[in-house]
Amino acid sequence: MGKQVNNLVNTIPVTTYLKYFVSILFFVVSLNLQAQDLRYDNGEKYTLGGITVSGNTTFSEQTIITYSGLRKGKEMTIPGEDISNAIKKLWNSKLFSDIEVYITKIEGDVAYLQIRLSDLPQLSELKINGVKKGKKESIIKETKLNKGVKVTENLITTTKNYLTKKYKKDGFLNSKIHINTIEVQDSVKTARVNMVLNIDKGEKVKIKDIVFKGNDVLSDKKLRKSMKSTKKINLIRILKRSKFIDSSYQADLGHVISKYKENGYRDARIISDSLIINDDKTISLQINVNEGDLYTFGDITFIGNTVYTNEQLSRLIRIRKGDTYNGVELQKRIQDNSKPDAQDISNQYQNYGYLFSTINPVEVSADNNIIDIEVRISEGKPAYFNSVTVVGNDKTNDHVVYREIRTRPGQLYSKANVVRTVRELGQLGFFDAQEISPNFLNPNPNEGTIDMEYSVKETGSSQIELQGGYGGGGFIGTLGLSFNNFSIKDIFKKEAYKPIPMGDGQKLALRLQASRFYQTYSFSFSEPWLGGKRPVQFSTSLSHTKQFLYNPATRNADKSRSFNITGITFGLAKRLSVPDDYFTLSQAISFQRYDLNNYNTGLFTFGNGFSNNLSYTVGLSRNNTSVDPIYPTAGSSFSATAKFSAPYSLFNGVDYDDLKDERDRNNAIISDVNSSTIERTNASNRITEIDQERYKWLEFYKVNFKGDWYTQITKDLVLRPSVEFGFLGAYNNARGVIPFERFFVGGDGLGNYSLDGREAIQLRGYPNQSLSSTDGGTIYNKFSLELRYPITLKASAKIYALGFLEGGASFDNFRDYNPFNIKRSAGLGIRIFMPAFGLLGIDFGHGFDALPGETLKHGWETHFIIGQQF
């Protein structure tokens, strides 16, 4: 639109040409009055004796004469083209108005002229009414109404037209634009005006109804559904509004025709359409269609194919003779531009080197409404990568990027490898996934070569984490420092601190989590390519947790009584090639030391003691989500892990059945009302000793599974189903299930107490950990369905809204497990990710079921996460 404003400003208005005519006419009349002997019927030649300038102008006389192109001593015909051209040049300078040329006197063959004109006024001040303050700057920029601009009638007219079209495009069909100019009266000689721009957008025009005429095959409902942006008023629909936008409407008329073509009516067309204004200020649309006849597919033949046989190509097209004609689907089977990894003929060629191949379906016959198709193929030469480069990685070192690239110089071209490279670069998290672009350079069909350039844009990868939530009896705060593109080899190089050594793709994290009742400190480091040759990730972590006992008298933490946990973990994760290279096999060895210092609760029978947990974890995961890790739109992610300790009871020589029987006898003594105080005390002390023996070395196994799937319902709308399951078991029933590594379901999923192996499972709509028993569950499952819609996915801020349905529960033992006996919830939320602040999120969940021990449904619960990133 801005370009049109410029073009129109440059156009001479009709009034300008009228002024040419009047000026020349006045010139002729003046010449008749002042020179009796002037013979102007056919024009006479004169020598220009001099030129003077008059009128309201700040330009010098010499400047104006120069602009006119006239010069003293020039021979010219009066009247003639020289005078006309002079006036045009002055007008075209866009500096003057009211231009007139007079003859002041004639002496023989010498004529003297005077140019009378006025300066065009400059814009002094602009006042915009009717829009918010934040919109005014953009209006000034779009219309170029900057201070000092020359104000012409064209400028005013084009500004009106531009703004009117702008607001109509946004659904304001009744918008009105008024522009007034006021001459500035002061001592400054320059002509200036103040402008007042009044904008009355009016109300957005809603579409009350969309009616089709002439449609017998497809119903109004189906045709309305095919219109992607033009929708009638529907109170239930949230994501699509019913405003009328002409450009979207015109595109949707094309979608209506495409809908007919998908159903075999290739000759369908729009005969006419009309817009009806209703009394309630809404509009109705009436669309008249001619459906035409139904067509079917005839013979489909292939011409020019030597690499693949007709049978192979027919299997890709998957269309048989006699099928209802669908030109849209035929094109998708040949080349589906909406899916870069589609199973179509074009990708079949391009994935095996034939970059320069072209495939065109041609209708060769339509007799009796049966369409015969020739698929004409030009295979060309196989293409090879000549050079492969990356640009834009200003912080990330080249080797970190190049090791993720699936295309190599000299390698046969493969579109699948290009698509996979874009996905891998996006998954790194160092670049804006929406800005990664594979650029094809210097294609040479004759030699069969292509240069490939991957363009990336760095984003913030180091993070300051700040989380807050209420749970576990108080406020839980988390402060952490995470460097996600760290370079440990440069840690002693002073010049590398900008502000930290970066670029090698390593991760280094320091974290502090605290509340009134516990403190957690942790350190972790990971190298994704151990040794730099293979995608084998090495990771290590060190943590220490101090948990304080709750004092009911003071309602605070008793810091003299604590439960300390110290742990260390070493892990390796290897990317597999079988079944495919989306799989990762991970292994880890971890050790935790639990020390109790006068820490007596119902969870432990001993208040002073220790426990050791040496475990091995193995996991298999597959992740082919793409492309943006913040907002995946396709693919799936699942992981299955098993964590287990050594079966100590098989070889440590302790008879746990005997200890269990003895423990049961002592419990009976404690429960017997006839037992003395001394007997109960001795029994309690013995149970403490037995439990210390049972938990000296923890014996357990634990299985977890989680799966997420991402499906694009429309271009922007993404559905994410999710399922989770966890089970904690014991090798020896006499030892029992350990009181560690348990599951706590409910709330926002903040990881409090997580360093002793306990897992906080998110289930929105309920308070934190409210759906598990006090000691935590040994088995849980959760089902979730989330619908996501992006508001913006720009690098500066990625924002998406979501709606969710969830259900889950935890159980204390397998006998009580029922996967369908779940607590249900639903709600809405929003996520905001910004490089400067990290992830911000808030969810409003409604719990449909009662909490354990209650009878009324829980109702609404609010959950939030705060993160900060630089």
Side-chain angles (χ1 to χ4, degrees):
M1 284 297 189
K3 190 173 181 180
Q4 292 179 359
V5 171
N6 285 339
N7 290 340
L8 287 171
V9 170
N10 291 333
T11 303
I12 301 173
V14 174
T15 54
T16 300
Y17 289 109
L18 291 176
K19 290 179 180 180
Y20 291 166
F21 177 74
V22 172
S23 298
I24 294 171
L25 181 62
F26 190 85
F27 169 80
V28 172
V29 173
S30 299
L31 191 64
N32 185 51
L33 293 175
Q34 294 183 35
Q36 295 280 336
D37 58 344
L38 180 61
R39 299 172 300 278
Y40 57 85
D41 293 330
N42 298 316
E44 292 287 341
K45 285 191 177 182
Y46 291 90
T47 300
L48 187 55
I51 308 168
T52 58
V53 177
S54 63
N56 183 17
T57 179
T58 58
F59 290 90
S60 67
E61 183 175 278
Q62 186 58 44
T63 299
I64 293 172
I65 293 172
T66 301
Y67 271 122
S68 73
L70 300 174
R71 67 180 186 277
K72 184 178 179 181
K74 179 180 180 180
E75 285 192 358
M76 56 191 300
T77 300
I78 301 177
E81 288 295 325
D82 291 320
I83 300 295
S84 178
N85 290 337
I87 295 174
K88 286 181 180 179
K89 288 178 180 179
L90 291 170
W91 277 113
N92 290 338
S93 71
K94 305 176 195 174
L95 299 172
F96 311 108
S97 62
D98 303 325
I99 303 170
E100 298 171 335
V101 178
Y102 299 90
I103 292 180
T104 55
K105 64 179 179 179
I106 294 177
E107 296 178 350
D109 292 333
V110 178
Y112 295 85
L113 303 179
Q114 182 183 79
I115 301 173
R116 184 177 298 173
L117 46 69
S118 298
D119 290 348
L120 281 174
Q122 296 180 1
L123 180 60
S124 178
E125 293 181 2
L126 173 65
K127 183 178 182 182
I128 303 177
N129 300 320
V131 296
K132 295 180 179 179
K133 184 178 180 181
K135 299 290 185 181
K136 294 180 180 179
E137 287 298 324
S138 63
I139 289 175
I140 294 172
K141 184 177 181 181
E142 292 166 5
T143 58
K144 294 183 170 53
L145 292 177
N146 301 307
K147 186 174 182 179
V149 69
K150 296 293 184 178
V151 179
T152 65
E153 289 297 327
N154 282 336
L155 179 64
I156 294 173
T157 301
T158 49
T159 300
K160 278 184 177 182
N161 292 339
Y162 170 77
L163 292 175
T164 300
K165 290 180 180 178
K166 171 186 171 68
Y167 290 115
K168 281 185 177 181
K169 181 180 178 181
D170 292 335
F172 298 96
L173 291 185
N174 299 320
S175 60
K176 296 179 181 178
I177 310 297
H178 299 281
I179 301 177
N180 297 321
T181 57
I182 304 166
E183 185 178 354
V184 176
Q185 301 288 342
D186 56 20
S187 59
V188 178
K189 292 183 179 181
T190 303
R192 293 174 299 145
V193 294
N194 294 331
M195 181 180 292
V196 179
L197 175 57
N198 294 309
I199 300 174
D200 180 9
K201 295 191 294 185
E203 296 293 329
K204 285 187 176 180
V205 176
K206 302 289 185 179
I207 303 171
K208 186 175 184 178
D209 200 6
I210 303 174
V211 179
F212 290 88
K213 299 292 184 181
N215 56 312
D216 297 322
V217 178
L218 298 181
S219 65
D220 284 20
K221 183 178 180 180
K222 286 185 177 180
L223 294 177
R224 282 194 294 264
K225 189 176 180 180
S226 70
M227 304 177 79
K228 301 184 183 302
S229 302
T230 308
K231 303 291 183 181
K232 72 175 189 176
I233 295 173
N234 188 337
L235 298 177
I236 299 176
R237 187 178 58 251
I238 299 174
L239 299 178
K240 292 286 186 179
R241 296 184 178 181
S242 59
K243 65 182 182 181
F244 178 81
I245 300 175
D246 186 65
S247 59
S248 299
Y249 171 60
Q250 296 300 325
D252 280 334
L253 291 179
H255 295 146
V256 170
I257 298 302
S258 295
K259 186 66 175 178
Y260 271 106
K261 290 183 177 180
E262 290 174 4
N263 287 271
Y265 293 86
R266 70 157 197 172
D267 295 335
R269 58 192 179 92
I270 304 291
I271 299 174
S272 63
D273 63 289
S274 55
L275 185 151
I276 303 168
I277 300 176
N278 302 313
D279 294 336
D280 57 359
K281 296 184 179 180
T282 62
I283 64 170
S284 295
L285 299 174
Q286 181 172 303
I287 303 170
N288 298 318
V289 300
N290 182 347
E291 295 179 323
D293 296 328
L294 176 66
Y295 287 79
T296 59
F297 280 109
D299 294 322
I300 300 179
T301 57
F302 301 92
I303 297 176
N305 54 306
T306 60
V307 178
Y308 299 103
T309 65
N310 292 345
E311 290 75 14
Q312 291 174 315
L313 297 178
S314 294
R315 284 197 294 268
L316 288 171
I317 284 190
R318 304 185 302 280
I319 295 174
R320 297 180 180 180
K321 185 176 182 179
D323 288 350
T324 299
Y325 180 78
N326 186 339
V328 175
E329 190 63 27
L330 173 64
Q331 184 58 48
K332 285 184 178 180
R333 303 283 173 84
I334 291 174
Q335 184 171 355
D336 188 351
N337 293 322
S338 64
K339 294 181 180 180
D341 56 350
Q343 296 293 322
D344 56 42
I345 294 178
S346 177
N347 280 348
Q348 185 69 23
Y349 271 97
Q350 296 214 8
N351 287 340
Y352 291 90
Y354 291 90
L355 169 65
F356 305 113
S357 61
T358 59
I359 305 166
N360 297 307
V362 179
E363 297 179 4
V364 294
S365 174
D367 294 340
N368 301 318
N369 293 346
I370 299 175
I371 300 178
D372 294 333
I373 303 291
E374 273 188 5
V375 181
R376 299 173 181 175
I377 301 173
S378 174
E379 294 175 333
K381 284 185 176 181
Y384 292 84
F385 292 108
N386 183 44
S387 69
V388 179
T389 57
V390 179
V391 295
N393 56 318
D394 302 324
K395 298 178 182 178
T396 306
N397 293 327
D398 285 345
H399 73 273
V400 175
V401 182
Y402 280 103
R403 69 193 183 192
E404 301 295 339
I405 292 177
R406 301 301 180 95
T407 57
R408 295 285 187 268
Q411 187 183 63
L412 187 66
Y413 172 81
S414 169
K415 182 180 177 181
N417 286 341
V418 175
V419 173
R420 181 67 185 274
T421 297
V422 172
R423 185 245 176 212
E424 295 299 327
L425 294 178
Q427 290 290 313
L428 284 175
F430 308 149
F431 311 115
D432 180 7
Q434 305 298 323
E435 297 290 334
I436 299 173
S437 174
N439 302 320
F440 295 83
L441 306 178
N442 305 318
N444 191 327
N446 295 326
E447 295 185 5
T449 59
I450 185 74
D451 293 338
M452 177 61 64
E453 176 188 85
Y454 295 98
S455 176
V456 298
K457 182 179 180 182
E458 298 268 8
T459 60
S461 54
S462 297
Q463 178 177 337
I464 293 178
E465 180 186 11
L466 178 64
Q467 289 186 351
Y470 190 86
F475 181 81
I476 303 167
T478 302
L479 179 63
L481 189 62
S482 178
F483 307 117
N484 295 323
N485 192 7
F486 195 67
S487 176
I488 199 167
K489 67 179 178 60
D490 294 333
I491 196 170
F492 298 112
K493 295 181 180 179
K494 183 178 179 180
E495 63 274 12
Y497 284 81
K498 298 178 182 180
I500 58 169
M502 295 180 64
D504 280 346
Q506 299 156 349
K507 294 183 180 181
L508 179 70
L510 301 170
R511 197 166 186 262
L512 166 66
Q513 190 176 62
S515 72
R516 288 189 302 163
F517 301 100
Y518 76 96
Q519 298 172 358
T520 297
Y521 311 90
S522 67
F523 164 84
S524 65
F525 172 79
S526 67
E527 163 57 69
W529 284 61
L530 183 63
K533 300 295 184 181
R534 296 285 186 272
V536 177
Q537 176 177 289
F538 167 78
S539 60
T540 183
S541 63
L542 179 66
S543 61
H544 179 72
T545 296
K546 182 173 287 189
Q547 186 174 325
F548 304 107
L549 189 67
Y550 175 71
N551 188 332
T554 62
R555 295 186 177 182
N556 210 333
D558 184 350
K559 296 193 175 182
S560 65
R561 307 172 70 182
S562 63
F563 173 29
N564 300 328
I565 309 167
T566 302
I568 188 169
T569 300
F570 296 97
L572 290 174
K574 180 181 180 181
R575 186 186 299 168
L576 303 179
S577 57
V578 178
D580 60 45
D581 58 2
Y582 290 111
F583 279 88
T584 299
L585 177 66
S586 59
Q587 303 175 76
I589 295 177
S590 59
F591 174 77
Q592 285 86 33
R593 169 82 176 191
Y594 307 104
D595 287 305
L596 289 89
N597 176 27
N598 197 21
Y599 192 92
N600 295 95
T601 67
L603 182 61
F604 309 104
T605 58
F606 56 94
N608 288 287
F610 67 91
S611 186
N612 298 306
N613 181 3
L614 178 63
S615 61
Y616 169 74
T617 302
V618 60
L620 182 67
S621 62
R622 186 180 190 273
N623 183 349
N624 70 333
T625 58
S626 62
V627 167
D628 192 338
I630 304 299
Y631 192 80
T633 57
S636 61
S637 173
F638 80 83
S639 63
T641 61
K643 183 177 182 179
F644 48 90
S645 66
Y648 301 107
S649 57
L650 290 178
F651 52 78
N652 63 3
V654 178
D655 188 343
Y656 290 102
D657 289 319
D658 184 58
L659 288 178
K660 182 179 183 299
D661 293 340
E662 183 181 357
R663 194 178 193 281
D664 291 341
R665 291 194 298 270
N666 282 285
N667 272 326
I669 293 172
I670 294 173
S671 302
D672 189 351
V673 294
N674 296 320
S675 299
S676 66
T677 302
I678 294 176
E679 289 175 329
R680 291 176 180 172
T681 301
N682 291 336
S684 177
N685 290 337
R686 181 53 185 159
I687 289 175
T688 297
E689 293 172 356
I690 292 173
D691 285 349
Q692 173 66 85
E693 179 62 36
R694 290 170 64 203
Y695 299 137
K696 184 181 296 183
W697 287 93
L698 298 181
E699 183 180 274
F700 69 97
Y701 65 90
K702 183 178 181 181
V703 177
N704 285 80
F705 174 82
K706 182 177 181 181
D708 297 313
W709 293 263
Y710 298 89
T711 303
Q712 278 186 293
I713 298 177
T714 64
K715 179 182 178 182
D716 296 319
L717 199 61
V718 175
L719 183 68
R720 191 206 73 165
S722 178
V723 61
E724 296 180 40
F725 173 81
F727 176 72
L728 177 66
Y731 301 128
N732 190 327
N733 290 330
R735 293 191 71 172
V737 179
I738 61 174
F740 307 101
E741 300 281 345
R742 299 201 174 198
F743 308 108
F744 291 84
V745 178
D748 51 27
L750 288 178
N752 48 323
Y753 311 128
S754 61
L755 288 178
D756 67 346
R758 303 188 186 189
E759 298 181 35
I761 309 302
Q762 181 191 71
L763 206 160
R764 294 162 285 190
Y766 298 95
N768 288 354
Q769 305 180 17
S770 61
L771 302 180
S772 298
S773 59
T774 303
D775 296 341
T778 62
I779 183 171
Y780 89 96
N781 61 248
K782 175 191 168 186
F783 309 97
S784 177
L785 192 65
E786 197 169 273
L787 195 62
R788 298 177 172 183
Y789 184 81
I791 299 171
T792 176
L793 294 177
K794 295 181 179 178
S796 57
K798 298 181 181 182
I799 307 173
Y800 65 89
L802 59 89
F804 63 86
L805 297 171
E806 288 187 331
S810 72
F811 306 87
D812 292 337
N813 54 72
F814 193 77
R815 290 189 302 272
D816 299 331
Y817 176 62
N818 181 349
F820 304 107
N821 182 18
I822 58 177
K823 303 295 184 181
R824 302 159 299 163
S825 68
L828 300 170
I830 192 168
R831 297 289 183 271
I832 303 173
F833 180 84
M834 294 183 289
F837 299 99
L839 184 66
L840 309 174
I842 185 168
D843 293 322
F844 302 96
H846 185 85
F848 296 113
D849 299 296
L851 296 175
E854 299 182 5
T855 57
L856 299 177
K857 72 174 183 178
H858 179 67
W860 288 100
E861 191 80 21
T862 303
H863 313 280
F864 66 91
I865 294 175
I866 302 173
Q868 185 173 359
Q869 183 175 6
F870 62 86

